[in-house]
Amino acid sequence: MNDMTPVRNHRSTGRDDGPLNISRRGFLGGAAALVLSVTVPVGRARAQAAATVAPGTRVNAFLEIRPDSTVLFRSAFIEGGQGIFTAMAQIVGEELDVDPVNFTVEGAPPGPDYLLTGGGRFTGGSMSVRTSYETMRKLGASARQMLLQAAAARLGLSIAELSTEPGRVVHAASGRAIPYGEIADAAADLSVPTDVVLRSRDDFRWIGKPVRRLDGREKSTGRAQYAIDLKVDGMLHAAVQHSPRLGGEPGALTNEAEVQAMPGVHSIHRLPGAVAVVADSWWRARRAVEALQVTWTEPAAATPRAMPAGFSSETHKAMLKSTPGDGVAFEQEGDAAGTLAGAARIVEATYDAPYLVHGQLEPPSAIARWNSDGTLELWIPNQAPEMFQAEAAKVAGIEPGKVIIHSPMLGGFFGRHFLYQTANPFPQAILLAKAAGRPVKLIWSREEEFLRDTLRPMGVARFRAGLDGDGLPVALDGVAVGEGPTGRWFGRQPDKVDSSAVEGIAGKVYAIPNRRVGQVHVDDPAIIGFWRSVGHSINDFFYETFFDEMADAGQQDPYELRLRLLADSPRHSNLLQAVADLSGGWKRGPFAAEDGSRRARGVAMASPFGSEVATIAEVSLRDGEVVVHQVWVAIDPGSIVNPAIIEAQVNSAVALGLSSALLEEVVYVDGMPQARNFDGYPILPPDRMPRVHVRIVESGAPMGGIGEPGLPGVPPAVVNAASVLTGQRIRSLPLSKLDLKGMEG
Amino acid sequence: MELTINGSTFQVDVEPDTPLLWVVRDTLGMTGTKYGCGVAQCGACTVLIDGQATRSCVTTVDSVVGTAITTIEAIEQDPEGSKVVEAWVANQVPQCGYCQSGQVMAATALLKQTPQPTEEDIAGAMVNLCRCGTYNAISAAVRQAAQA
Ligand code: FES
Ligand code: FES
């Protein structure tokens, strides 16, 4: 999600476009006639039941204190590696007075209690902790207050005479103690206090400390369960083959009888845009569905989002680069055009960045089970349970209240498990379970995932900068050309700029007095989605690399120029100095390293998701490849919950940012992606991982995000360093496309 | 076919060219071994065959009849394996965790063959992909496990 993602859980357009819903309804026939009682999956409400729920306040919706005084916590946010379950345990445990280690955390079901992201709910935008921090602290404090009240009633004492120690209420005067587990039931019947006192920061025992992740052991022993690992009684397995181009529909199946006779095959199905085989094991289903000889029809005219047969990423890029204009202005300061007209020197460049897949290691899956009470139960990887519930209800033709969503741990997501019309397997699973009359578990093979994953949009930006007689930038004009994912999924207003298309060109912190940032919207023919750090992952590369072009044109050192333009912004200049300090002092190079290689360093800054980041990378060239030896990252998220998790997330963001800079590119030819697995789409392997050094700066600014901010600075820092060594401007990614042979040394 | 997995024998009735991965996961219900790519690219499916790290997604089940197969489910019963797990927990290696079964198996195989691995040995053996970028934590944990 970008900084300004609308967070209500509806989409203003596009929900019903396309033939998919129509044919799904046709497929299901009378399913809408099923009428049954609504299942409310959340537990006891009792004293806390209210006509309207203020999200994040009903203690019993979130917390269950068990007889042994351990805590089951239902998290509004989904764990996918970012450490959110541990952070929630720290935040709630701090106020509740329970050691986080005694927490079990699971993803909460859909429900009004969990709409903590601006009135909606999703995990993304690096928002989980920062949007819920105060609310979750209050929740923990409220629960503690209820336990104190229950203990006071039991002991015939006043609350003022009692206090708590981790996991129990204590009466200091008598030395008596009651474990939380003994009074949990009584406490749960009390009403939630309206105001509670929060702990002072100075007394924090767990918030701000490197508390160990709760899931470390289960994930080191294979016991952690992801959607793909789950099983329900009596289920069959399904595999699909999608139309190679989106919008095509299955025509003739020429060998249907042979495939039906293959071992373990239960049934063969036509689905919107796909064929499926249901079998007694996934391997048999997969083998059978891939043996099916399908004639795919061309999309009917006006099929929304049909992939044109002639589409290629190369021609789309050329088209974006040649689309003229300044577009709609998003950010303006001073008089960019006028200053450019009178500038001593003009610097101009056009940049591009390719389509990317998410490449999370767990292939998507879905289990669907129609229950005899008319409810539909789904086990699905997702970042937004209520949105998936609403969509599943539409597909199934039942009320949303009859759809029960289970949200397992995610095997990586990076933006993959948002509700994307054609990229989620659950609608297929719903249809197959209905048709088979049995629960069905559908897994997309990696090859099908490469075919239907949403892509990071292709990005192009044009820059013009004006330098004064001293070589300092006095005007900057940046135009992003293309489409952002927020507009695609939340509705785009033609006269407004989608911030996800310009973030990272807009919102920069340097004091360049005359600026204009605009966007020329061009529809992206691909199904685009949110990719870790969204527009920043593209645009900060463009901007921060162009910044070095400006610096060089004006004969300024790129680090010193940044520092100079941040002179009036202590938060940013401190951070830039912090990263330089962490790296042993700024030096650009080229310089000779101990191993004899010739190296250089590049620097970049970014302001993503409420945090500030400064990054330095050290690179050399070897055998025609860019080698990244070390990356230093200084990150200022304002204030923090868990420094160990931050360090891990920065490592992770560096890896993904570097992977995108060095290796990754989705290439389309004839409307089809050329790579269908990691052999054709390499991702960062271990031997290309640099050493990563992290410094956390707590400036006290409002809390920012953690999961994504470490990423955007990496590609420009690496490219800026590589340009020093090659003596050439690099304006296109990935670097693996460049021919650098003979440039080292 | 008869398979020996984690010291127990199992009779399985599947096509002989079924990948071991799917026999372990679906037929036998041991889901700690993961499917990532199916084409020997990622290593999420790594198991030990007679102590050797092996990608089970491209290993047909008939080819491992008569061998000793070890999966992540039995890793803590293995002396090297339990050291590796402890080092993984101590170093807080996993993020999403999806690749980590395979990583732990690869590290265990390495330490079985090379109890005191050099950096090169580690780089040579720890080649599984991790989309969460836990590579630095992985090498730190392998070094720690070798010391344990
Ligand atoms: S699943 Fe076997 S190597 Fe990827
Ligand atoms: S921990 Fe997520 S893929 Fe390795």
Side-chain angles (χ1 to χ4, degrees), chain A residues 10 51 59 114 224 289 354 525 527 533 623 679 687 700:
Chain A
H10 64 260
V59 167
Y114 310 109
V289 82
I527 303 297
S533 80
D623 303 331
D679 48 358
D687 64 352

Side-chain angles (χ1 to χ4, degrees), chain A residues 6 16 51 83 177 306 531 552 584 599 605 620 641 686 688 700 702 740:
Chain A
D16 273 316
W531 193 92
D552 283 338
R599 298 190 186 180
M605 298 189 77
S620 68
V641 171
R688 298 196 75 177
L740 301 173

Side-chain angles (χ1 to χ4, degrees), chain A residues 398-438:
Chain A
I398 59 177
E399 291 300 312
K402 290 189 189 127
V403 179
I404 302 165
I405 304 276
H406 302 272
S407 306
M409 189 104 77
L410 301 170
F413 60 128
F414 320 118
R416 172 64 182 91
H417 295 303
F418 198 64
L419 181 66
Y420 301 121
Q421 214 159 26
T422 53
N424 307 117
F426 75 89
Q428 298 170 342
I430 293 171
L431 303 182
L432 292 170
K434 188 80 184 176
R438 298 260 297 268

Side-chain angles (χ1 to χ4, degrees), chain A residues 609-642:
Chain A
F609 309 96
S611 290
E612 297 294 335
V613 185
T615 307
I616 291 177
E618 179 176 301
V619 314
S620 68
L621 306 177
R622 186 167 64 212
D623 303 331
E625 276 184 352
V626 173
V627 180
V628 181
H629 300 274
Q630 307 204 66
V631 174
W632 295 269
V633 179
I635 180 165
D636 173 8
S639 62
I640 68 167
V641 171
N642 188 323

Side-chain angles (χ1 to χ4, degrees), chain A residues 701-715:
Chain A
M703 190 181 275
I706 287 302
E708 297 164 276
L711 194 146
V714 176

